Amino acid sequence: MRTGRNLVITDVRVILCSPGRNFVTVKIVTESGIYGLGDATVNGREMAVATYLREHVAPCLIGRNAHDIEDIWQYLYKGVYWRRGPINMACVGAVDMALWDIKGKAADLPVYELLGGRSRRAIGTYAHATGNTIDDTLTRAEELMGQGFQAIRLQTAVPGLDGSYGVLGDKKDYFELQSDRPLPPEHPWSTRKYMNSIEELFREARARHGQDIQLLHDVHSRLTPIEAAKLGKMLEPHDLLFLEDAVAAENQESYRIIREHTTTPLAIGEIYNTIWDCKELIQNQWIDYIRTAATHAGGITGLRRIADFAALFHVRIAPHGAPDLSPICFAAQSHVDIWAPNFGIQEFVGFGNATSAEVFSHDLKITDGMIHIGDSPGLGVDFNETAAEKHPYKRSYLPVSRLEDGTLWSW
Ligand code: KDG
Ligand code: MG
């Protein structure tokens, strides 16, 4: 295909490492020496993405012009015949971010300038307060409020259940590496026990922390639509910013049922890979926030397309920000957040630990719960391959959930 200014891709490296947890990183190198970085991590399935990238994607990129971001996106999406899917789209996403990084460096501009410039000074975030009891959770929320966070997601263990989403029985957090466990850890689930206890968490939160703080909650897809409707109604007096993943929505119609019954705002999307997964949710205005991440939904190009579509229907973006997305993904979506006119809020669970900081560097800062992006060209990230070698991949799985009678449930 024709090109304007050629920036020929000469090498595509795929690096798996585990500086605290597993990440899959793509490094695309051009003949000029400019390189770009992308995150392709799919938590618990890292080898699949790494192999797909090495065996099927990298050979197709060598010799192409790194400036042709849209053409390469279409080539990897339409061109494979097998459209969509989490593994394929994480690879498209990683390549896409790396190409935006290259374009920014070549232009000597941060990526948000290429998207259209800033729409805001900084990016509002929400933090996580999680605990084994309501008191633990609310004490943690108080600490976060003291650090300046103005929005906090509250999760607490369900009385009578040994561990649940966000709170493992042995207190090892769900986002920590689970490599000491040969197979996925299992959590029990009871909708009845959850429904009987959850309202108290938010009632207590409002009583202790007042009305100013924004509160959020993640159901992690464990309810049916009518149960979610009931929960939304139950939580209405506590005025949530949003209720996340109330129901798994391969069937997007499910959200119509929830919407008909409650004014609690709804969010979904962290496992979606394309605009098609949320098309009906958005165009019917059944949700308020779309939570697709840059890695999982086809990179900056995929996320920008979703944001523009969502803006037509008053839906705002709130990208997934769990620690199993690498700092490269976090930076990539921060550039989208600072640009998107319909940005809502960014999930934020810290910038990783000291070990991950040996491997990844970035140009983001957090003060008073707001993320500030510097003006480094490209995505402002870097990756230390030598440091990464010291932290080899370790197999690790996300947990699974079972009802108390043993039936497998959504985790
Ligand atoms: O890999 C799965 C986690 O990223 C997910 O469980 C975290 O639900 C999550 C969230 O909202 O951050
Ligand atoms: Mg979630």
Side-chain angles (χ1 to χ4, degrees), residues 212-372:
D212 285 349
I213 187 81
Q214 301 269 25
L215 299 178
L216 304 91
H217 180 63
D218 189 348
V219 184
H220 232 242
S221 308
R222 292 176 182 189
L223 300 179
T224 64
I226 204 68
E227 289 164 353
K230 193 170 160 188
L231 175 64
K233 267 175 115 159
M234 205 191 313
L235 297 178
E236 269 172 32
H238 311 307
D239 191 21
L240 268 61
L241 181 71
F242 63 63
L243 184 64
E244 178 189 340
D245 287 354
V247 170
E250 284 99 334
N251 177 6
Q252 299 180 39
E253 275 282 319
S254 300
Y255 271 69
R256 184 176 53 76
I257 300 173
I258 315 175
R259 199 59 150 181
E260 279 169 357
H261 293 282
T262 180
T263 57
T264 292
L266 302 170
I268 192 167
E270 68 183 39
I271 66 166
Y272 290 168
N273 359 105
T274 67
I275 198 164
W276 300 104
D277 298 321
C278 46
K279 176 176 166 282
E280 283 102 68
L281 287 168
I282 292 173
Q283 74 187 16
N284 289 303
Q285 303 185 46
W286 288 331
I287 57 168
D288 301 278
Y289 294 87
I290 179 69
R291 293 197 8 90
T292 41
T295 292
H296 299 138
I300 288 174
T301 300
L303 195 54
R304 181 182 60 172
R305 207 158 272 150
I306 291 171
D308 271 338
F309 178 61
L312 303 183
F313 302 97
H314 305 280
V315 174
R316 288 184 274 178
I317 62 164
H320 186 205
D324 47 88
L325 299 155
S326 94
I328 300 169
C329 171
F330 200 85
Q333 56 198 26
S334 297
H335 283 259
V336 177
D337 292 342
I338 203 100
W339 153 76
N342 57 328
F343 167 71
I345 197 160
Q346 173 63 56
E347 181 181 24
F348 177 72
V349 194
F351 285 127
N353 57 20
T355 318
S356 63
E358 288 167 25
V359 176
F360 296 97
S361 57
H362 56 80
D363 191 17
L364 304 170
K365 285 187 181 56
I366 182 141
T367 48
D368 289 335
M370 304 286 286
I371 290 180
H372 300 263

Side-chain angles (χ1 to χ4, degrees), residues 393-411:
Y393 164 77
K394 297 176 184 148
R395 182 159 50 223
S396 174
Y397 293 100
L398 279 165
V400 298
S401 252
R402 288 188 189 276
L403 300 184
E404 290 169 294
D405 69 0
T407 309
L408 196 90
W409 205 244
S410 301
W411 174 70

Side-chain angles (χ1 to χ4, degrees), residues 12-319:
V12 179
R13 293 213 274 280
V14 181
I15 307 117
L16 253 144
C17 65
S18 191
R21 55 162 312 103
N22 290 317
F23 295 114
V24 183
T25 303
V26 177
K27 183 169 182 173
I28 299 182
V29 185
T30 64
E31 63 181 350
S32 68
I34 295 178
Y35 61 86
L37 295 164
D39 173 37
T41 310
V42 175
N43 196 3
R45 293 294 183 272
E46 296 85 359
M47 295 299 265
V49 243
T51 308
Y52 189 102
L53 279 165
R54 281 189 191 125
E55 297 297 322
H56 303 298
V57 175
C60 302
L61 296 179
I62 306 297
R64 284 180 192 281
N65 183 357
H67 276 312
D68 293 345
I69 300 178
E70 188 62 51
D71 183 65
I72 291 176
W73 197 98
Q74 299 294 340
Y75 185 80
L76 295 177
Y77 181 79
K78 291 183 185 153
V80 293
Y81 186 63
W82 310 106
R83 297 178 185 216
R84 307 163 68 178
I87 304 301
N88 177 38
M89 292 310 293
C91 297
V92 176
V95 169
D96 182 81
M97 292 175 207
L99 297 179
W100 279 100
D101 192 22
I102 291 170
K103 197 183 274 297
K105 287 173 180 168
D108 197 25
L109 287 170
V111 166
Y112 62 77
E113 296 291 11
L114 307 179
L115 294 172
R118 289 170 182 258
S119 295
R120 55 195 56 80
R121 272 179 285 108
I123 300 163
T125 66
Y126 69 91
H128 287 193
T130 298
N132 282 301
T133 62
I134 290 178
D135 189 53
D136 289 352
T137 304
L138 297 184
T139 303
R140 176 71 189 133
E142 208 165 329
E143 284 164 22
L144 292 165
M145 288 166 73
Q147 291 166 27
F149 285 97
Q150 291 151 36
I152 303 180
R153 188 189 91 166
L154 303 179
Q155 307 292 138
T156 200
V158 177
L161 292 183
D162 181 24
S164 66
Y165 167 67
V167 193
L168 288 191
D170 60 5
K171 302 184 188 63
K172 186 166 185 176
D173 223 329
Y174 74 92
F175 51 72
E176 285 178 43
L177 199 69
Q178 307 283 325
S179 58
D180 51 330
R181 305 166 199 247
L183 291 172
E186 301 211 349
H187 288 174
W189 178 252
S190 155
T191 297
R192 188 154 190 85
K193 287 179 177 153
Y194 169 73
M195 293 292 262
N196 284 342
S197 62
I198 188 67
E199 192 267 341
E200 191 187 346
L201 170 65
F202 286 88
R203 186 166 13 100
E204 282 295 312
R206 286 292 176 216
R208 257 171 81 166
H209 300 318
Q211 292 300 318
D212 285 349
I213 187 81
Q214 301 269 25
L215 299 178
L216 304 91
H217 180 63
D218 189 348
V219 184
H220 232 242
S221 308
R222 292 176 182 189
L223 300 179
T224 64
I226 204 68
E227 289 164 353
K230 193 170 160 188
L231 175 64
K233 267 175 115 159
M234 205 191 313
L235 297 178
E236 269 172 32
H238 311 307
D239 191 21
L240 268 61
L241 181 71
F242 63 63
L243 184 64
E244 178 189 340
D245 287 354
V247 170
E250 284 99 334
N251 177 6
Q252 299 180 39
E253 275 282 319
S254 300
Y255 271 69
R256 184 176 53 76
I257 300 173
I258 315 175
R259 199 59 150 181
E260 279 169 357
H261 293 282
T262 180
T263 57
T264 292
L266 302 170
I268 192 167
E270 68 183 39
I271 66 166
Y272 290 168
N273 359 105
T274 67
I275 198 164
W276 300 104
D277 298 321
C278 46
K279 176 176 166 282
E280 283 102 68
L281 287 168
I282 292 173
Q283 74 187 16
N284 289 303
Q285 303 185 46
W286 288 331
I287 57 168
D288 301 278
Y289 294 87
I290 179 69
R291 293 197 8 90
T292 41
T295 292
H296 299 138
I300 288 174
T301 300
L303 195 54
R304 181 182 60 172
R305 207 158 272 150
I306 291 171
D308 271 338
F309 178 61
L312 303 183
F313 302 97
H314 305 280
V315 174
R316 288 184 274 178
I317 62 164

